[in-house]
Structure formats: structure tokens, C-alpha cells
């Protein structure tokens, strides 16, 4: 059985692929408490979340369906949680004075979830070292960037964007409970500040 914030599951569903093993979401208990939620589209983008208040005694690889995604999406006027038992999910919307629940069946994937941990370890080592040097920037698929920011806006109005030379763009909201990594299409030198912007910055202020 697993319980977690359903909004994190809905966001993770935005970054699954069309074919096995990438069309699934992995939910697994975290060693230090809570649960991890992960999805990836063939390594082009990855979504990783931690719900510190989540609970679970098993790992599952879930195939999201439209009814489950719709019911799980975060709303700003209430909190939503999801409880998974067998192949049935119970999504509960918790309001100030009332709550309502909806049962939704789903299927589990028969394919193993992609191993993301090694790649994430390498990314973290590079982030730790980023202060020393940054010579290139990444070119990113705008569709993934838009999807990431739109998804995170359901739970927070502010995000942090951070990238390193030739590596993924890390998009993170302030709680630190969910991170979306958008992989670069190609590594390019950091572009110079445009000449027109330099000239504009040196001009005298306009008088109105």
C-alpha cells in the first residue's frame, strides 16, 4: 500500500514516454521516510519528486490513465492525496470542512523502470562542482520547459532554473519536494550579451 500527494503523481505523468519502459511512473518508499515518485521520457526529460509525508510498504510501477491524472491534479483551494492498494487508487480531495474521494482502477507496468539513480548521481557531482567553471550552455526543447513550468505552477507560483555546461536544466519549486530535469539537445558556448543591450545600458535615462 502507498499513500502520497496526488499532485506530484499528476506532474510526473506529464513526463512519461509513449513506449515501454518509459510510459510508467515509479512510486517507491524512501529509505529515510516518505516516498519517491519518478518518470522519464527515454532520458530526454526526467521528473523526480519526494513526498516527505508519503507512506508505503511496496514499490509500484504505475501506468497512468486519463481518469487518474485528471483526479490527481493539484488544486489551489484544497489538498489532494492518493492511496494505492492493489490495482485500485483512491484520490481524496481534502477541503477545510469536507472531503470527497474517488476510486480509479489502473494497470501496473510489466517492464522494469529505467535506472535513473546513476545518471542523477553524476548530475549531482557536477552541480557540486559548478562553482569552479561553466563554459557552455545547453539548448533545450521548449516544449519540455513549458510543460515543466506549467506543471509546477499547480503547486507554487515560483520556480528556480539551474543548468550546467552541457547538462540538464534543473527546474525546482521552493519546497524542494519535486525536481524536473530537462536534458540539453546540444551543448553550445554561452552566448555573449547582445551588443544592443550593452548600448541600451550605457544610454542616458529618458525624461518623461
Amino acid at each position: 500500500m502507498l499513500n502520497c500527494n496526488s499532485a506530484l503523481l499528476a506532474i510526473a505523468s506529464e513526463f512519461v514516454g509513449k513506449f515501454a519502459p518509459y510510459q510508467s511512473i515509479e512510486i517507491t518508499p524512501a529509505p529515510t521516510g516518505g516516498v519517491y515518485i519518478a518518470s522519464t521520457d527515454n532520458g530526454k526529460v526526467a521528473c523526480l519528486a519526494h513526498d516527505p509525508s508519503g507512506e508505503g510498504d511496496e514499490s509500484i510501477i504505475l501506468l497512468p490513465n486519463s481518469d487518474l491524472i485528471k483526479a490527481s491534479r493539484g488544486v489551489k483551494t484544497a489538498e489532494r492525496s492518493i492511496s494505492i492498494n492493489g490495482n485500485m487508487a483512491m484520490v481524496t480531495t481534502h477541503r477545510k470542512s469536507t472531503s470527497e474521494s474517488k476510486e480509479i482502477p489502473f494497470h501496473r507496468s510489466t517492464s522494469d523502470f529505467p535506472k535513473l539513480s546513476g545518471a542523477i548521481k553524476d548530475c549531482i557531482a557536477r552541480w557540486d562542482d559548478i562553482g569552479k567553471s561553466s563554459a557552455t550552455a545547453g539548448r533545450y526543447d521548449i516544449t519540455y520547459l513549458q510543460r515543466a513550468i506549467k506543471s509546477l505552477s499547480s503547486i507554487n507560483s515560483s520556480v528556480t532554473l539551474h543548468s550546467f555546461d552541457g547538462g540538464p536544466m534543473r527546474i525546482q519549486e521552493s519546497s524542494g519536494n519535486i525536481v524536473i530535469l530537462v536534458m540539453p539537445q546540444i551543448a553550445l558556448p554561452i552566448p555573449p550579451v547582445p551588443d544592443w543591450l550593452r548600448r541600451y545600458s550605457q544610454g542616458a535615462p529618458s525624461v518623461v
Side-chain angles (χ1 to χ4, degrees), residues 58-138:
E58 65 170 331
S59 295
I60 70 167
I61 305 173
L62 174 152
L63 295 171
N65 59 60
S66 58
D67 289 338
L68 182 61
I69 295 168
K70 182 178 179 180
S72 297
R73 284 197 179 105
V75 290
K76 295 181 179 178
T77 57
E79 293 184 359
R80 277 183 172 157
S81 63
I82 184 169
S83 177
I84 296 172
N85 193 2
N87 284 358
M88 187 66 68
M90 176 79 74
V91 178
T92 303
T93 303
H94 307 272
R95 305 187 187 278
K96 289 184 178 180
S97 57
T98 62
S99 64
E100 55 190 49
S101 298
K102 184 175 182 180
E103 276 193 331
I104 303 162
F106 69 91
H107 295 289
R108 299 188 184 212
S109 175
T110 57
S111 301
D112 292 337
F113 190 76
K115 300 295 184 185
L116 294 177
S117 57
I120 301 305
K121 182 178 179 180
D122 291 342
C123 289
I124 291 172
R126 187 63 186 87
W127 282 322
D128 289 341
D129 197 42
I130 193 63
K132 297 180 181 178
S133 165
S134 183
T136 60

Side-chain angles (χ1 to χ4, degrees), residues 10-190:
I11 293 173
S13 72
E14 296 283 347
F15 302 96
V16 300
K18 294 181 179 179
F19 306 105
Y22 306 107
Q23 79 275 48
S24 60
I25 299 171
E26 183 184 54
I27 309 173
T28 187
T32 56
V35 298
Y36 294 131
I37 302 165
S39 63
T40 182
D41 182 2
N42 197 20
K44 297 189 292 290
V45 64
C47 177
L48 303 155
H50 175 235
D51 181 0
S53 61
E55 297 177 326
D57 57 11
E58 65 170 331
S59 295
I60 70 167
I61 305 173
L62 174 152
L63 295 171
N65 59 60
S66 58
D67 289 338
L68 182 61
I69 295 168
K70 182 178 179 180
S72 297
R73 284 197 179 105
V75 290
K76 295 181 179 178
T77 57
E79 293 184 359
R80 277 183 172 157
S81 63
I82 184 169
S83 177
I84 296 172
N85 193 2
N87 284 358
M88 187 66 68
M90 176 79 74
V91 178
T92 303
T93 303
H94 307 272
R95 305 187 187 278
K96 289 184 178 180
S97 57
T98 62
S99 64
E100 55 190 49
S101 298
K102 184 175 182 180
E103 276 193 331
I104 303 162
F106 69 91
H107 295 289
R108 299 188 184 212
S109 175
T110 57
S111 301
D112 292 337
F113 190 76
K115 300 295 184 185
L116 294 177
S117 57
I120 301 305
K121 182 178 179 180
D122 291 342
C123 289
I124 291 172
R126 187 63 186 87
W127 282 322
D128 289 341
D129 197 42
I130 193 63
K132 297 180 181 178
S133 165
S134 183
T136 60
R139 181 183 294 273
Y140 301 94
D141 186 321
I142 195 168
T143 303
Y144 284 131
L145 294 178
Q146 289 175 327
R147 198 184 301 171
I149 293 171
K150 181 180 178 181
S151 297
L152 291 178
S153 71
S154 68
I155 56 176
N156 205 306
S157 60
S158 176
V159 297
T160 298
L161 292 87
H162 180 221
S163 64
F164 60 77
D165 50 322
M169 171 75 73
R170 174 163 56 102
I171 305 172
Q172 183 173 321
E173 56 87 36
S174 60
S175 75
N177 291 333
I178 184 163
V179 176
I180 297 170
L181 304 179
V182 181
M183 309 308 168
Q185 294 173 311
I186 188 171
L188 294 173
I190 295 176

